[in-house]
Amino acid sequence: MSGLDLAEVTAARARIGAHVRPLAVTRADDHRVADGAPFELHLALEHLQHTGSFKARGAQNFIQAHLESGTLPAAGVTIASGGNAGLACAWAAREQGVHATVFLPATAPAVKVERLRGYGADVRQIGDEYVEAQAACQESATRSGALQSHAYDHRLIAAGAGTLMAELHEQVPDLDTVVVAVGGGGLFAGVATAARHLGVRTVAVEPEHCRALSAALAAGRPVDVAVESVAADSLGARRISDTALQAARSGGAVSVLVTDEAIVDARQHLWDEYRLAVEHAAGTALAGILRPGGYRPAAGEKVAVVLCGANTDPSDLMDRNS
């Protein structure tokens, strides 16, 4: 399979530009890593996107592209995900008047179930684990003829995510480096593809015990990994997508691993300093440049960190300050 290309990201932007919120970018205080030089930091506030995460871009692109090509069946779209991807799929389907069926485990939090129903989705709770919901989704799609979407492993999903990089570069045209958290690789593949063509370095940050991309780079192919991290709810993919691995290889991305402690601290830092309540995946990206052992920006380097989502309970952020 060929790697994602810029034309796919460009096409995605034309499709979804009128349907997603423009990326907000803010200049943060200058930072320096331990024993390092000061660098210029920008925060890409994608957690302000519809449904609270970047996933809205890929979901919208997926549905719009199938509508354009006449390949969206009358049965609508279906996905197995009780997280950000499920919310994004349900929202994008509602926006286009498309029926959506979302499968998730019976153990999923009630607040997520109600939010999915609020987007008009047909919610099916199956089993106690995601794999059971995924199997039920596959069986339902085969039986009903619905179009099955994926949380990250699809070119249209990755291309949609990549549109935020194009918007980011327009706002910071002399950007040197973009930093993203990596789970299954949809966000990374899209951003890295666009960044490579714009001459921007991509830093891929993963929790040290949730390292699908790092393991794939070491093995030379996608491999299954253990998943154990405070950010596993968003970044807990057991295997990186082929598209993401190709993007990492062709773009020379820098791979960084961070501890859960660093993730928690970075998330807290975003609240303490900027009053930004984000999920741990967003904290993961920032941790990749703030902690020793991570990526070390050069003096004056212009760096943007993508804050990818905000579907979180912020109460612990306030409790820590009490």
Side-chain angles (χ1 to χ4, degrees):
M1 180 186 295
S2 62
L4 193 71
D5 60 48
L6 185 63
E8 292 173 89
V9 177
T10 301
R13 192 175 185 194
R15 283 191 198 102
I16 71 175
H19 303 280
V20 298
R21 291 173 181 155
L23 176 67
V25 181
T26 187
R27 168 77 181 271
D29 300 329
D30 285 351
H31 279 71
R32 69 168 67 228
V33 295
D35 301 321
F39 61 94
E40 185 176 305
L41 178 62
H42 299 261
L43 301 176
L45 309 180
E46 186 63 3
H47 67 294
L48 301 178
Q49 189 54 258
H50 290 289
T51 76
S53 87
F54 74 94
K55 295 282 189 180
R57 293 175 181 268
Q60 189 68 245
N61 189 46
F62 181 83
I63 290 177
Q64 287 274 6
H66 283 286
L67 283 171
E68 286 177 8
S69 63
T71 54
L72 189 67
V77 64
T78 186
I79 190 172
S81 170
N84 290 343
L87 292 169
C89 182
W91 165 78
R94 184 192 67 180
E95 292 297 294
Q96 301 305 321
V98 173
H99 179 73
T101 304
V102 180
F103 288 80
L104 67 164
T107 53
V111 64
K112 289 187 176 181
V113 174
E114 291 309 308
R115 193 170 180 197
L116 284 166
R117 287 176 175 151
Y119 286 132
D122 177 4
V123 179
R124 311 276 182 89
Q125 292 185 263
I126 306 292
D128 294 325
E129 297 184 6
Y130 171 78
V131 291
E132 296 173 272
Q134 175 64 36
C137 179
Q138 177 66 59
E139 180 183 353
S140 176
T142 301
R143 184 176 62 254
S144 69
L147 178 66
Q148 189 170 6
S149 186
H150 196 278
Y152 58 87
D153 195 3
H154 194 285
R155 299 176 75 92
L156 289 169
I157 298 294
T163 61
L164 75 85
M165 181 64 221
E167 294 182 34
L168 173 59
H169 191 258
E170 287 178 355
Q171 296 192 55
V172 191
D174 51 354
L175 184 69
D176 297 304
T177 303
V178 61
V179 184
V180 295
V182 182
L187 174 63
F188 168 77
V191 168
T193 296
R196 181 176 77 251
H197 288 277
L198 294 167
V200 177
R201 177 188 300 105
T202 304
V203 176
V205 189
E206 299 173 279
E208 62 180 358
H209 298 303
C210 206
R211 55 194 297 175
L213 177 60
S214 174
L217 288 169
R221 57 184 176 82
V223 293
D224 287 342
V225 298
V227 172
E228 185 179 352
S229 170
V230 68
D233 60 334
S234 299
L235 305 181
R238 293 195 175 276
R239 177 179 287 242
I240 200 74
S241 70
D242 287 319
T243 304
L245 180 56
Q246 290 184 58
R249 284 172 162 172
S250 60
V254 179
S255 176
V256 171
L257 300 177
V258 294
T259 65
D260 273 7
E261 179 185 9
I263 293 169
V264 170
D265 287 347
R267 177 173 174 263
Q268 187 70 44
H269 177 80
L270 287 165
W271 173 254
D272 291 343
E273 296 299 321
Y274 306 106
R275 281 301 184 260
L276 296 175
V278 298
E279 59 195 60
H280 285 100
T284 299
L286 184 62
I289 61 170
L290 290 189
R291 293 299 292 264
Y295 177 74
R296 293 173 62 88
E301 185 172 340
K302 294 187 177 181
V303 180
V305 173
V306 178
L307 303 185
C308 53
N311 290 316
T312 185
D313 180 356
S315 61
D316 59 332
L317 294 169
M318 278 74 81
D319 291 346
R320 189 166 170 177
N321 285 333
S322 61

